[in-house]
């Protein structure tokens, strides 16, 4: 708003020394001019259109303002409007004292409209309410301004259901009369002149008075600016601290975490007061005392306004208060320190009592140990006395063992902690040398085993044994074996003959569970193996009458893989000996047979293929097959090696050197009007020469089936010529019988394999499961009572044909093929069962 009314002179004119001020408030003239559509409009002049705001205008045409536009006299002196006289300080103090003595104001002393009231909001409107109760103005001319327009607004409202004289909305809850404005009396704030509600507002939004709530809110607001709402002086509140609270505070502050302990050692320089102060922890800052006259006054006591006297308190001694506060805090610190010292002394008493108990227990234990050590020393001194030469009662090895057993049983701790090595060296070793001085291990291999087994339990260090070590300085028994027993063994091995291996093997077997493992390894690696290696180098398989396996194989249980370096020179010597060998000499098989399980399978097969198979092939090549006069010696020489050779090597020999000649002889015989009965016997005789393992091989089986096919073709091709009676039937019967045998052998092999797998741990349930697809078909045929059997002499692409009921099938890689009209069709097992039924 404009402040021009403050600068008027006595005659009501503006001060002409001041610049002109433009008032931008909305006045009644602005409202009347804005809402009067028929007002007289002033047309813009040409000069105003050209120069805009810089155009010159008459003052009469300008818009009126609050202060008016009057000529100013800038030469007149400045004068102000009087606002009253200022009261003196004494009068103001009297007014303040009188205000303090007044009773608390009540709400009734204030105007009725000053207190808070609650309005009924729009939530109190009911759907049946057709309009507001308020409103005295007639609304017959509502929308009369539309006579100057086309009336589109009124028409749109009527189309949407508006009824003249009623409020808007679904339930006609809208107000009908326009909002009325009430002019404020002065220029004060809102509510400064009482309630500003209009009659329409009171009718449309009636208030709900609540006397109790209004009184409570009034007192609450009044207490915000008064010193004491009750008007009485407050009594001082005193805070008391007990000794227990101080002790608890001291205990809590003592339990600092690691970062707090670090901060407690920080040097702090305080420059907030008149003088610089140095603290050695942050905690000292929290205990800093407020010294009087040391800094600005607290913010809670603002300085008095100028011209007003400060009312001095009745009792103000800041120095005394400061000293009293210091005494209180010092007393608190003394109480806390005394409590901490007391707690420390109590803890110290508990700790010392506990240490006293422990020390007493250690003292009792040490006294017991000293007593035990005294008795142990007596036993040891007694043994030393009896070991002296010339003693009437010399110490024997058995008595010495009993002394050590006593030490181990009754004084176990002292025995385990004592130096058993030095004790055994001084007492046991001389007795042990005397006991074994006349011992011959090859003649009496078990001599002294019981005594050394007894001393092993007494002297062996369990810790060294568990770690697998061989520290002679830490284990008395290992040192006893190495220094007393081992020299005797070295002398015996140096005189031992490797070809006489039985006594040495028996000796080491008897002592293997007594002597340490590393001692036995030393004997085998450093003493036994060099002697065997040297003997193998001197062995000649052509001249030596003692087979080499007789004095090498007994070492297998003890040496095992240590003998591997000996096998290569042995195979080399055997190969050189077989260069001039003939299969008719059976001694080679006797020499080689023990080595089959010793050599690795690969090295054994390579040795046989290189040295034996060529000789057997040459022997079969010299075999003459003559049905009328057959010599079988060469054939027997070859078959003797069946267990020595692998099945594949033997079958390879037969395919290359035997079956071509045998089939050729059969064809020649069948082409000269033979006696088929003799041919049948000849076929069965040759087949009986082979073992089941060889006959089960597919190649051998195919060769014999080929011979049957040749005989069947020979019988079938002589139709119309002279034929021996019953020859065709005999050959057909022979073929059927042989095929059935093959089928039965296959089933037996499969059943045997299933039994072996069941014995290996697969279980009864797994053994009952069919092992292949053919067994599954056979199981299903048995369940549905369908005949399933092979067709004799019938194959399709090398696959055996079977009859499943009246259907002919064959099996190929787990798939069933059924014979159709022109081709074989794969089918499922269930479809096969349905077709067979």
């Amino acid at each position: 708003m404009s402040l021009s009314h403050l600068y008027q002179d006595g005659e009501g004119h503006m001060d002409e020394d001041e610049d002109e001020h433009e008032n931008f408030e909305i006045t009644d003239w602005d409202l009347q001019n804005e809402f009067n559509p028929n007002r007289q409009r002033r047309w813009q002049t040409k000069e105003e259109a050209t120069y805009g705001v810089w155009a010159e205008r008459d003052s009469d045409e300008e818009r009126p303002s609050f202060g008016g536009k009057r000529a100013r006299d800038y030469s007149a002196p400045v004068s102000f409007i009087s606002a009253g006289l200022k009261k003196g300080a004494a009068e103001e103090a009297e007014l303040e004292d009188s205000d303090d003595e007044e009773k608390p104001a009540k709400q009734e002393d204030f105007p009725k409209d000053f207190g808070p009231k609650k309005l009924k909001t729009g939530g109190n409107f009911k759907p049946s309410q057709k309009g507001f109760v308020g409103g005295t103005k007639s609304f017959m001319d509502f929308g009369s301004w539309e006579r100057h327009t086309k009336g589109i607004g009124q028409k749109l409202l009527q189309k949407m259901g508006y009824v003249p004289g009623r409020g808007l909305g679904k339930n006609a809850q809208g107000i009908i009369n326009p909002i009325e404005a009430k002019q404020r009396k002065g220029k004060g704030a809102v509510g400064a002149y009482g309630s500003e509600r209009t009659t329409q507002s009171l009718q449309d939004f009636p208030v709900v008075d609540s006397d109790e709530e209004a009184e409570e809110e009034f007192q609450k607001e009044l207490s915000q600016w008064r010193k004491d709402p009750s008007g009485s002086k407050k009594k001082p509140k005193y805070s008391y601290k007990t000794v227990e609270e101080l002790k608890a505070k001291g205990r809590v502050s003592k339990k600092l975490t690691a970062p707090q302990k670090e901060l407690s050692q920080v040097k702090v320089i305080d420059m907030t007061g008149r003088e610089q102060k140095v603290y050695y922890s942050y905690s000292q800052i929290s205990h800093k005392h407020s010294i009087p006259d040391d800094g600005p006054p607290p913010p809670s006591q603002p300085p008095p306004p100028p011209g007003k006297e400060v009312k001095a308190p009745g009792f103000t001694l800041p120095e005394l208060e400061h000293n009293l506060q210091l005494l209180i805090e010092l007393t608190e610190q003394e109480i806390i320190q005394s409590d901490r010292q007391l707690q420390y002394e109590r803890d110290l008493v508990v700790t010392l009592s506990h240490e006293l108990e422990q020390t007493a227990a250690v003292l009792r234990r040490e006294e017991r140990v000293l007593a035990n050590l005294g008795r142990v020393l007596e036993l040891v001194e007694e043994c030393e006395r009896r070991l002296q030469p010339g003693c009437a009662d010399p110490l024997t090895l058995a008595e010495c063992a009993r002394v050590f057993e006593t030490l181990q049983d009754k004084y176990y701790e002292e025995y385990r902690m004592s130096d058993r090595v030095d004790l055994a060296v001084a007492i046991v070793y001389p007795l042990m040398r005397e006991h074994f001085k006349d011992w011959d291990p090859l003649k009496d291999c078990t001599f002294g085993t019981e005594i050394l087994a007894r001393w092993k339990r007494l002297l062996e260090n369990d810790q060294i044994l568990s770690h697998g070590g061989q520290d002679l300085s830490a284990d008395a028994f290992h040192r006893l074996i190495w220094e007393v027993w081992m020299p005797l063994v070295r002398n015996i091995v140096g005189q031992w003959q490797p070809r006489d291996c039985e006594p040495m093997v028996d000796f080491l077997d008897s002592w293997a569970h007594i002597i340490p493992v590393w001692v036995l390894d030393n004997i085998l690696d450093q003493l036994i193996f060099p002697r065997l290696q040297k003997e193998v180098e001197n062995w000649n398989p052509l001249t030596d009458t003692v087979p080499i396996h007789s004095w090498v194989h007994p070492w297998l249980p003890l040496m095992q893989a240590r003998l591997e370096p000996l096998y290569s020179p042995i195979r080399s010597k055997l190969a050189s000996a077989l260069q001039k060998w003939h299969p008719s000499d059976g001694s080679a098989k006797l020499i080689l047979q023990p080595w089959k399980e010793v050599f690795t399978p690969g090295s054994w097969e390579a040795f046989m293929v290189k040295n034996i198979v060529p000789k057997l092939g040459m022997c079969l090549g010299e075999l003459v097959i003559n049905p009328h006069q057959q010599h079988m010696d060469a054939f027997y020489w070859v078959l003797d090696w069946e267990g020595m050779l692998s099945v594949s090597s033997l079958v390879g020999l037969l395919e290359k050197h035997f079956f071509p000649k045998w089939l050729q002889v059969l064809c020649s015989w069948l082409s000269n009007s033979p006696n088929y009965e003799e041919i049948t016997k000849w076929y069965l005789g040759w087949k009986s020469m082979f073992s089941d393992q060889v006959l089960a091989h597919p190649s051998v089986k195919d060769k014999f089936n080929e011979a049957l096919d040749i005989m069947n073709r020979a019988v079938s091709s002589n139709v119309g010529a002279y034929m021996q009676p019953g020859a065709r039937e005999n050959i057909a019967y022979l073929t059927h019988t042989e095929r059935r045998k093959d089928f039965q052998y296959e089933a037996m092999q499969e059943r045997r394999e299933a039994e072996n797998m069941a014995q290996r741990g697969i279980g009864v349930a797994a053994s009952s499961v069919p092992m292949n697809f053919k067994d599954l078909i056979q199981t299903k045929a048995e369940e549905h009572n369908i005949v399933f059997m092979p067709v004799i002499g019938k194959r399709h692409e090398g696959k055996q044909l079977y009859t499943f009921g009246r259907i002919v099938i064959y099996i190929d890689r787990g798939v069933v093929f059924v014979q159709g009209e022109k081709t074989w069709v794969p089918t499922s097992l269930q479809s096969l069962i349905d077709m067979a039924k």
Side-chain angles (χ1 to χ4, degrees):
M1 67 178 63
S2 176
L3 300 177
S4 59
H5 63 281
L6 297 177
Y7 296 94
Q8 295 177 355
D9 53 11
E11 298 177 355
H13 299 286
M14 296 287 294
D15 188 1
E16 295 181 359
D17 292 340
E18 297 294 333
D19 295 336
E20 182 181 357
H21 292 271
E22 179 71 22
N23 194 342
F24 291 97
E25 287 187 351
I26 299 175
T27 62
D28 296 338
W29 185 90
D30 293 329
L31 295 175
Q32 294 174 4
N33 189 36
E34 183 68 25
F35 291 100
N36 185 11
N38 298 324
R39 71 182 180 276
Q40 184 179 359
R41 299 179 181 270
R42 189 180 68 83
W43 297 99
Q44 190 178 26
T45 63
K46 182 178 181 181
E47 187 178 1
E48 289 176 349
T50 303
Y51 296 101
V53 295
W54 290 278
E56 293 183 359
R57 301 183 182 87
D58 270 343
S59 60
D60 297 336
E61 297 177 358
E62 291 184 355
R63 172 188 171 194
S65 61
F66 267 177
K69 302 297 289 185
R70 297 182 179 89
R72 298 182 181 180
D73 185 6
Y74 295 100
S75 63
V78 179
S79 63
F80 296 92
I81 298 175
S82 176
L85 296 177
K86 178 176 177 63
K87 296 181 180 180
E91 295 179 358
E92 289 183 358
E94 291 177 0
L95 290 175
E96 288 179 2
D97 294 338
S98 63
D99 292 337
D100 293 339
E101 294 173 358
E102 286 179 0
K103 295 182 179 179
K106 300 294 183 177
Q107 187 179 5
E108 290 78 2
D109 300 335
F110 290 85
K112 185 177 181 181
D113 296 335
F114 185 76
K117 297 182 180 181
K118 297 182 179 179
L119 299 178
K120 286 187 177 179
T121 59
N124 294 326
F125 295 131
K126 298 181 180 179
S128 61
Q129 186 176 353
K130 301 301 182 180
F132 287 96
V133 178
T136 58
K137 187 177 179 180
S138 176
F139 297 96
M140 298 302 293
D141 57 346
F142 178 77
S144 60
W145 65 83
E146 288 196 347
R147 65 175 176 269
H148 304 288
T149 63
K150 296 181 179 181
I152 186 64
Q154 186 75 10
K155 294 177 181 178
L156 290 175
L157 288 173
Q158 290 177 358
K159 285 182 179 180
M160 289 185 286
Y162 170 71
V163 179
R166 298 179 60 181
L168 297 176
K170 181 179 180 181
N171 299 317
Q173 67 270 23
I175 63 175
I176 302 174
N177 299 331
I179 298 175
E180 296 180 0
K182 184 176 181 181
Q183 185 177 4
R184 195 175 302 159
K185 296 178 181 180
K187 298 183 179 180
V190 177
Y193 305 100
S195 176
E196 298 182 4
R197 298 192 62 185
T198 62
T199 306
Q200 177 189 355
S201 174
L202 291 174
Q203 291 178 356
D204 293 342
F205 300 97
V207 298
V208 179
D209 295 331
S210 177
D211 297 337
E212 296 179 358
E213 294 180 1
E215 179 68 21
E216 184 179 354
E217 293 180 3
F218 173 73
Q219 292 295 340
K220 184 177 181 182
E221 292 177 358
L222 193 62
S223 64
Q224 294 179 358
W225 59 272
R226 288 191 60 85
K227 293 183 179 179
D228 188 0
S230 62
S232 60
K233 294 183 179 180
K234 294 183 178 178
K235 292 183 179 180
K237 293 183 179 180
Y238 298 99
S239 176
Y240 299 96
K241 287 185 181 179
T242 62
V243 177
E244 297 300 328
E245 291 177 355
L246 288 176
K247 292 180 181 179
K249 179 182 177 182
R251 295 190 189 101
V252 172
S253 62
K254 189 177 180 181
K255 298 177 181 178
L256 296 176
T257 59
Q260 291 175 337
K261 290 180 180 179
E262 294 178 1
L263 293 176
S264 64
Q265 305 298 327
V266 176
K267 181 179 179 181
V268 183
I269 300 175
D270 183 9
M271 302 182 67
T272 58
R274 294 179 179 177
E275 298 178 358
Q276 175 180 334
K277 298 179 181 180
V278 179
Y279 301 101
Y280 293 96
S281 66
Y282 284 111
S283 60
Q284 293 183 4
I285 299 179
S286 63
H287 300 306
K288 184 177 69 171
H289 309 294
S290 57
I291 301 174
D293 299 333
D294 190 10
S300 60
Q301 299 177 1
K308 184 177 180 181
E309 295 181 358
V310 180
K311 187 177 180 181
F315 182 78
T316 56
L317 294 175
E319 291 80 2
L320 180 59
E321 292 178 359
H322 171 68
N323 293 336
L324 288 175
Q325 185 66 26
L326 280 178
L327 290 174
I328 291 172
E329 293 181 356
L330 288 175
T331 306
E332 291 179 356
Q333 293 298 325
E334 289 178 1
I335 293 173
I336 292 174
Q337 291 297 332
S338 301
D339 178 66
R340 290 179 180 176
Q341 185 67 25
L342 178 61
Q343 187 64 32
Y344 170 76
E345 297 296 340
R346 289 175 179 173
D347 296 340
L348 184 61
V349 169
V350 173
T351 304
L352 291 177
S353 60
H354 180 65
E355 290 181 357
L356 181 62
E357 294 176 359
Q358 289 185 339
T359 307
V362 171
L363 181 61
R364 290 192 297 270
R365 185 169 62 253
E366 294 296 335
E367 291 177 352
R368 186 173 63 255
V369 171
L370 286 175
N372 293 337
L373 287 177
R375 287 189 286 270
V376 169
L377 185 60
E378 293 177 0
L379 291 175
V380 173
E381 290 176 350
E382 178 66 20
C383 292
E384 290 180 353
R385 185 186 62 79
R386 296 179 63 182
L387 283 175
Q388 299 296 328
C391 182
D393 185 14
L395 183 67
T396 62
L397 193 60
E399 292 176 350
C400 185
R402 284 195 296 270
V403 171
F404 273 79
E405 287 177 353
T406 303
L407 294 175
Q408 190 178 34
D409 295 340
K410 295 184 178 180
Y411 312 104
Y412 180 77
E413 292 295 334
E414 292 76 11
Y415 180 74
R416 304 302 291 179
M417 292 189 302
S418 63
D419 193 355
R420 287 173 288 173
V421 177
D422 296 338
L423 189 63
V425 170
I427 299 176
V428 182
Y429 287 14
L431 298 176
M432 196 68 69
R433 289 191 182 95
E434 184 68 21
H435 184 74
F436 284 102
K437 66 178 181 179
D438 297 330
W439 173 52
D440 186 359
L442 298 181
K443 294 180 180 179
D444 188 3
C445 60
T446 59
F447 177 78
T449 54
E450 296 181 358
I451 295 176
L452 277 182
R454 185 178 181 182
W455 280 105
K456 181 180 181 180
R457 293 191 298 270
L458 296 174
L459 299 178
E460 192 169 31
N461 193 336
D462 297 335
Q463 296 179 355
I464 299 297
L465 183 63
S466 62
H467 289 83
Q470 49 181 350
D471 188 4
L472 297 179
S473 62
D475 194 286
F477 179 73
H478 289 195
R479 185 173 176 180
L480 172 66
I481 293 295
W482 184 256
E483 295 182 1
V484 177
W485 184 83
M486 195 65 183
L488 300 174
V489 176
R490 290 194 189 97
N491 294 332
I492 294 300
V493 174
Q495 303 171 7
W496 165 67
Q497 293 297 327
R499 299 199 179 193
D500 187 15
C501 63
E502 297 296 336
M504 185 61 69
V505 172
D506 294 342
F507 162 68
L508 293 178
D509 283 338
S510 303
W511 287 86
H513 66 283
I514 300 175
I515 61 177
V517 177
W518 64 272
V519 174
L520 179 61
D521 294 340
N522 181 270
I523 293 172
L524 296 177
D525 293 336
Q526 304 296 329
L527 301 178
I528 302 298
F529 182 78
R531 298 296 306 275
L532 291 176
Q533 189 175 21
K534 185 177 180 180
E535 193 67 23
V536 168
E537 291 175 357
N538 297 329
W539 172 67
N540 188 354
L542 298 178
T543 57
D544 287 341
T545 57
V546 180
I548 189 173
H549 64 271
S550 62
W551 50 272
V552 173
H553 287 186
W555 290 104
L556 287 173
L558 284 173
M559 304 187 70
Q560 296 178 357
R562 291 187 177 90
L563 296 176
E564 286 287 343
L566 301 179
Y567 297 157
S568 180
I570 290 175
R571 285 194 295 266
S572 178
K573 289 179 178 291
L574 290 175
S576 61
L578 290 173
Q579 289 180 357
K580 297 181 180 180
W581 169 76
H582 190 269
S584 59
D585 185 6
S587 61
K589 182 180 178 182
L590 297 176
I591 294 175
L592 294 176
Q593 190 172 7
W595 294 98
K596 181 181 179 182
E597 302 299 331
V598 176
F599 295 158
T600 60
S603 61
W604 174 257
E605 184 67 18
F607 179 82
M608 299 302 291
V609 169
K610 182 179 179 180
N611 300 288
I612 302 299
V613 172
K615 302 286 185 179
L616 298 180
M618 182 182 62
C619 185
L620 279 179
E622 297 173 357
L623 176 65
V624 178
I625 299 176
N626 186 359
H628 301 290
Q629 188 177 1
Q630 184 66 54
H631 295 282
M632 302 294 294
D633 294 339
F635 189 76
Y636 290 148
W637 294 339
V638 174
L639 291 184
D640 285 343
W641 288 88
E642 182 178 353
M644 304 288 289
L645 296 174
S646 63
V647 177
S648 59
S649 299
L650 184 59
V651 170
L653 281 174
L654 295 175
E655 285 183 332
K656 184 176 180 180
H657 301 285
F658 173 74
F659 280 111
K661 295 190 292 185
W662 185 75
L663 291 175
Q664 185 179 3
V665 170
L666 177 62
C667 292
S668 300
W669 194 2
L670 290 173
S671 62
N672 296 322
S673 301
N675 186 350
Y676 286 97
E677 185 176 355
E678 293 180 358
I679 290 177
T680 302
K681 292 181 181 180
W682 181 78
Y683 171 85
L684 295 175
W686 276 108
K687 191 173 182 180
S688 62
M689 301 294 293
F690 299 98
S691 63
D692 294 340
Q693 190 176 6
V694 176
L695 290 175
H697 196 276
S699 299
V700 177
K701 192 183 298 183
D702 291 342
K703 294 298 181 182
F704 281 106
N705 288 332
E706 185 180 353
L708 289 176
D709 294 339
I710 291 172
M711 287 189 286
N712 281 318
R713 286 197 299 271
V715 173
S716 302
S717 62
N718 290 333
V719 178
Y722 173 76
M723 179 61 64
Q724 181 179 352
R728 185 178 291 108
E729 290 77 6
N730 290 337
I731 296 300
Y733 178 74
L734 174 65
T735 303
H736 178 75
T737 303
E738 293 300 316
R739 299 285 167 78
R740 181 175 291 276
K741 286 181 180 180
D742 293 342
F743 178 75
Q744 291 176 353
Y745 181 78
E746 291 178 0
M748 183 180 65
Q749 288 294 110
E750 292 174 358
R751 193 178 304 110
R752 190 176 300 166
E753 292 176 0
E755 292 176 357
N756 291 337
M757 293 184 69
Q759 292 177 358
R760 289 172 190 170
I762 295 181
V764 179
S767 64
S768 61
V769 176
M771 302 309 297
N772 52 35
F773 194 61
K774 189 178 73 173
D775 292 344
L776 179 62
I777 295 175
Q778 185 174 359
T779 303
K780 293 295 183 181
E782 293 175 356
E783 292 176 358
H784 295 85
N785 296 324
I786 299 174
V787 178
F788 175 67
M789 60 179 297
V791 180
I792 305 301
K794 297 294 183 179
R795 290 177 175 269
H796 177 72
E797 297 180 354
K799 305 296 187 298
Q800 177 66 47
L801 297 181
Y802 300 91
T803 57
F804 192 83
R806 294 173 295 176
I807 304 171
V808 180
I809 65 171
Y810 78 90
I811 304 169
D812 185 12
R813 289 176 292 185
V815 180
V816 179
F817 289 85
V818 180
Q819 186 177 17
E821 296 179 357
K822 297 181 179 180
T823 182
W824 294 85
V825 181
T827 185
S828 63
L829 184 57
Q830 188 60 42
S831 300
L832 179 64
I833 295 172
D834 296 339
M835 288 188 291
K837 289 183 177 181

